[in-house]
Amino acid sequence: AIQMTQSPSSLSASVGDRVTITCRASQDIGNNLGWYQQKPGKVPNLLIYAASSLQSGVPSRFSGSGSGTDFTLTISSLQPEDFATYYCLQDYNFIWTFGQGTKVEIK
Amino acid sequence: QLHLQESGPGLVKPSETLSLMCTVSGDSVTSTRYFWGWIRQAPGRGLEWIGTIRYNGNTYYSPSLNSRVTISLDTSRTHFSLRLSSLTAADTAVYYCARFGVQTNSANYPDYWGQGTLVTVSS
């Protein structure tokens, strides 16, 4: 099965900072990658699909890039409501795998 | 408006089988082209995909859980179910059902989720 390695596991940042989270797949998955945001006690929310497509209703400060094995989620200017845990999710040949998560905390 | 709701026991004993149901309103699990699935999250841990079923009944399971998992669609078209056997404490988690409604040519992503149900495995 494809393994997803997400980094960092946590980071501290300030409002207004540019934040980057990465996910690396153990083999080429094309652009079959999504990014989710989860706040404590809440359901995960899809931000990005197909590596770089912004889900409807998601603010434009969120963006995704990458293909093959290396992917990035960028928050261009961190807002107070963005402090949460972020997960990548790959879908390759009908087997899905989540990354371990990145917790974004207030500095 | 699509709504998913998980139901089932909150406490099960080790070695027993867990049965959960996801009731879907606002869509049909058999008449659309979507996938439907289960995802879990152990307390304080990350998300883990359990398995997915297609509208035509084809199933796909996590390799690590494959021998213990069964997902099925109900012919009423209003719900789908999860069975997970040989439970241990490691299966304690919040279990979510979800519709994999964002589709591309080669991938499907969960977009609507139930609120989740906590299942504790303990004697």
Side-chain angles (χ1 to χ4, degrees):
Chain A
I2 295 174
Q3 306 299 318
M4 302 302 296
T5 303
Q6 193 173 332
S7 61
S9 56
S10 65
L11 64 89
S12 295
S14 301
V15 173
D17 284 353
R18 182 181 182 89
V19 169
T20 299
I21 299 168
T22 64
C23 240
R24 174 165 289 177
S26 58
Q27 67 184 72
D28 189 338
I29 59 171
N31 70 340
N32 294 344
L33 187 105
W35 290 97
Y36 288 80
Q37 176 193 67
Q38 186 181 32
K39 297 180 180 179
K42 300 296 186 181
V43 167
N45 181 47
L46 179 64
L47 303 174
I48 301 287
Y49 66 94
S52 61
S53 295
L54 192 67
Q55 172 69 342
S56 175
V58 174
S60 59
R61 63 181 179 273
F62 291 94
S63 65
S65 65
S67 67
T69 60
D70 293 309
F71 302 87
T72 299
L73 173 71
T74 299
I75 310 172
S76 60
S77 178
L78 197 67
Q79 298 302 299
E81 60 269 31
D82 301 337
F83 291 94
T85 301
Y86 295 83
Y87 296 92
C88 61
L89 172 66
Q90 72 83 25
D91 169 16
Y92 188 78
N93 282 346
F94 307 115
I95 299 294
W96 286 259
T97 311
F98 285 96
Q100 306 97 312
T102 295
K103 187 173 184 179
V104 177
E105 298 175 302
I106 302 172
K107 180 183 281 185
Chain B
Q1 178 72 8
L2 181 65
H3 183 73
L4 293 86
Q5 180 67 58
E6 305 88 352
S7 59
L11 178 66
V12 289
K13 291 181 168 52
S15 79
E16 292 188 342
T17 295
L18 171 67
S19 293
L20 294 177
M21 184 168 70
C22 181
T23 300
V24 178
S25 56
D27 201 349
S28 167
V29 299
T30 57
S31 66
T32 67
R33 294 176 57 82
Y34 297 131
F35 290 70
W36 305 84
W38 292 91
I39 293 156
R40 71 180 182 179
Q41 187 168 34
R45 306 296 296 275
L47 299 165
E48 179 183 18
W49 171 69
I50 300 171
T52 303
I53 189 164
R54 205 167 184 181
Y55 68 98
N56 59 3
N58 289 353
T59 52
Y60 310 91
Y61 300 136
S62 166
S64 65
L65 299 171
N66 183 65
S67 63
R68 299 195 290 134
V69 175
T70 303
I71 296 176
S72 58
L73 296 176
D74 189 83
T75 54
S76 70
R77 305 189 297 177
T78 61
H79 64 266
F80 62 102
S81 300
L82 168 71
R83 286 175 58 85
L84 182 65
S85 64
S86 304
L87 294 172
T88 70
D91 295 310
T92 294
V94 174
Y95 286 74
Y96 297 100
C97 61
R99 186 189 78 170
F100 288 54
V102 174
Q103 299 176 314
T104 66
N105 288 337
S106 56
N108 299 267
Y109 304 88
D111 57 347
Y112 280 91
W113 301 58
Q115 286 302 301
T117 185
L118 175 62
V119 175
T120 301
V121 181
S122 175
S123 55

